[in-house]
Amino acid sequence: MSRRMRVSVVQLGPIPKDDSREKTMLRLLNLFEDATADDRTDLVVFPELALTSFFPHWEIRDSEELHAYYESEIPSPGMAPLLEASKRKGVAVTFGYGERTAENRLFNTASLFKGEKELLRFRKVHLPGYNEVQPDIRHQNLEKMYFRVGDLGFPVVDFKNTRIGLLICNDRRWPESYRMLSLQGAELVCIGYNSPIHTPSIAEADILTDFHNELSMQAGAYQNSMWVIGAAKGGVEEGVDQIGGSCIIAPNGKIVAQAVSNSDEVIGADIDLDMSARFRKHMFNFTLHRRPELYRAITEPMPEGWPRPALSS
Ligand code: CDV
C-alpha cells in the first residue's frame, strides 16, 4: 500500500494594507474551512506573508508602523485563530509571516504548525530587492531593508510518513534550495510566494512571469524527485499586480492541480509519496550518480574574478 497524503493550497488574492488583522484572519479561516471541508486533508499551505499585505513593496519610515507587520512571539496571538482551527480539525498548516525576534532581528519566515505546536520553521534565504529605496521604478522591493538573510539553513521535519521542507518565494528560483532539502530526504516542499508580474530592470521578462514560476518549481520537483506545493498571493495589491498560478507538482515534474484565478481560491490533490522514492531510486540516485567532488564552485566562496563575465559583442 503506497504512502499517500491529501494536500490543499490556499491561494490568496490581495490583502489591502487598510484591512485589519482581524478581517484578514477571518478570511484565512473561511478559506481553511473550505480547504478542509472534505475531512481528508492532512496539510494546508498558505502563501508568503499571509497575515498581512506584502509590505516590502513600499517604504515605511515609522518603526512602530513597520513593526506592526511582524510577529514578535511564535506562535503569536494574531495566529491563534488559525492554529485553533488546525487543532480542531487535526490538520497541519503552513504559512508565511514577518518575524521579529526578542533581539529585534527581522526575518521573512514560514512555519509548519499542527495546532499551536510548531513543527518546522524556515527563514527565507534568498532575499530579492534592495536595502534602499530605488528611484524611478514602478514598485519597490525592500526585502533587503526589512529582513535579514535566514540563519536556519534548510531544515526538514518528519511528518505523517514523509519528510517536509519549506522555502519562501525567491528561494524557489535557486536550484540549491531544493537540493539542500532533497539531500536531507525531503519528499515534499511547500513554497509560498508573492511574485509581481513586472520586474523592474528586466521588463523583457514580464510576459514570462508565469512561465518562470512554473519552470522553476517543475524543475525543482523533477530534478530532486520531490512534490512541490506552490501557494501564491496574486492580484493587484496596493498597486502591484502579482501572478497566481498556485500549483501542486509531482516528482515527475508534472503539474497535477493548479489555480485558475489570481484571487482567493483553494486547490487540492491526493499525492503518492512513494513516487518520490521511485524517481530517486532509478533516475536521481544521489548516492550513485552525484559528483560533489566536482561541484566545488557551488559551495565555496566565489574566487576573485568570478563569475567570469560573458563575452560581449
Ligand atoms: N517575494 C519575492 O521573493 N518575490 C520575488 C520577486 C521580487 C522577483 C520572486 O522571486 O518572485
Side-chain angles (χ1 to χ4, degrees):
M1 174 112 164
S2 64
R3 292 174 301 133
R4 301 195 77 82
M5 185 184 275
R6 174 91 192 157
V7 294
S8 290
V9 179
V10 173
Q11 175 173 284
L12 294 174
I15 301 179
K17 75 170 188 247
D18 289 336
D19 277 5
S20 67
R21 288 284 205 124
E22 293 72 22
K23 181 175 176 186
T24 301
M25 179 46 68
L26 209 55
R27 191 170 140 201
L28 267 52
L29 279 176
N30 286 331
L31 288 160
F32 183 81
E33 289 301 324
D34 287 352
T36 55
D38 58 9
D39 285 330
R40 291 192 302 128
T41 296
D42 300 295
L43 170 67
V44 179
V45 182
F46 282 87
E48 174 189 33
L49 293 181
L51 308 179
T52 63
S53 317
F54 190 84
F55 60 94
H57 281 157
W58 63 91
E59 183 184 16
I60 304 170
R61 284 270 166 223
D62 180 72
S63 62
E64 198 179 327
E65 185 188 341
L66 178 65
H67 288 156
Y69 285 100
Y70 298 83
E71 313 303 304
S72 44
E73 52 180 309
I74 315 296
S76 68
M79 297 171 181
L82 189 55
L83 302 186
E84 276 158 25
S86 156
K87 185 173 182 181
R88 179 169 39 81
K89 291 263 181 166
V91 175
V93 61
T94 173
F95 55 87
Y97 57 90
E99 177 190 3
R100 183 179 175 209
T101 70
E103 307 77 33
N104 200 29
R105 296 181 310 137
L106 307 176
F107 296 101
N108 187 342
T109 300
S111 291
L112 172 69
F113 289 98
K114 181 95 181 274
E116 62 274 5
K117 186 169 165 37
E118 187 184 22
L119 306 176
L120 184 64
R121 186 181 304 184
F122 171 70
R123 291 171 172 159
K124 185 173 182 177
V125 168
H126 300 94
L127 293 178
Y130 302 94
N131 59 10
E132 54 187 34
V133 171
Q134 302 300 297
D136 304 326
I137 57 173
R138 241 192 263 172
H139 62 82
Q140 301 295 322
N141 184 328
L142 298 174
E143 288 195 62
K144 282 188 159 66
M145 184 155 120
Y146 295 152
F147 303 116
R148 293 172 180 238
V149 172
D151 60 353
L152 300 176
F154 296 89
V156 297
V157 69
D158 288 341
F159 172 75
K160 281 224 166 212
N161 280 337
T162 189
R163 190 163 293 165
I164 295 185
L166 306 173
L167 297 175
I168 302 177
C169 196
N170 197 258
D171 291 312
R172 77 191 187 289
R173 303 187 192 271
W174 299 87
E176 296 86 351
S177 310
Y178 303 89
R179 188 50 59 91
M180 286 301 295
L181 296 173
S182 60
L183 284 175
Q184 298 174 82
E187 295 178 316
L188 193 162
V189 52
C190 306
I191 310 175
Y193 59 91
N194 282 257
S195 291
I197 293 174
H198 172 64
T199 302
S201 317
I202 32 174
E204 67 190 279
D206 288 2
I207 55 161
L208 301 171
T209 309
D210 280 307
F211 169 64
H212 289 158
N213 178 46
E214 291 168 12
L215 180 69
S216 311
M217 294 197 290
Q218 288 184 265
Y222 173 62
Q223 292 171 346
N224 294 278
S225 309
M226 292 199 288
W227 286 91
V228 172
I229 321 289
K233 168 130 66 63
V236 183
E237 185 185 81
E238 300 302 327
V240 181
D241 198 358
Q242 305 202 115
I243 57 166
S246 298
C247 53
I248 298 173
I249 304 166
N252 62 8
K254 287 281 206 182
I255 295 175
V256 300
Q258 186 158 34
V260 293
S261 73
N262 60 359
S263 49
D264 289 2
E265 185 177 340
V266 174
I267 59 167
D270 286 306
I271 67 174
D272 170 8
L273 296 163
D274 288 330
M275 197 172 181
S276 180
R278 288 197 297 278
F279 274 76
R280 228 168 251 179
K281 183 169 176 197
H282 298 294
M283 175 58 79
F284 293 105
N285 188 319
F286 294 154
T287 314
L288 291 183
H289 309 311
R290 279 182 78 246
R291 291 286 165 254
E293 68 278 14
L294 299 178
Y295 306 154
R296 283 174 55 191
I298 291 176
T299 54
E300 292 187 352
M302 210 124 53
E304 192 78 12
W306 284 70
R308 290 166 65 171
L311 294 178
S312 56
S313 53

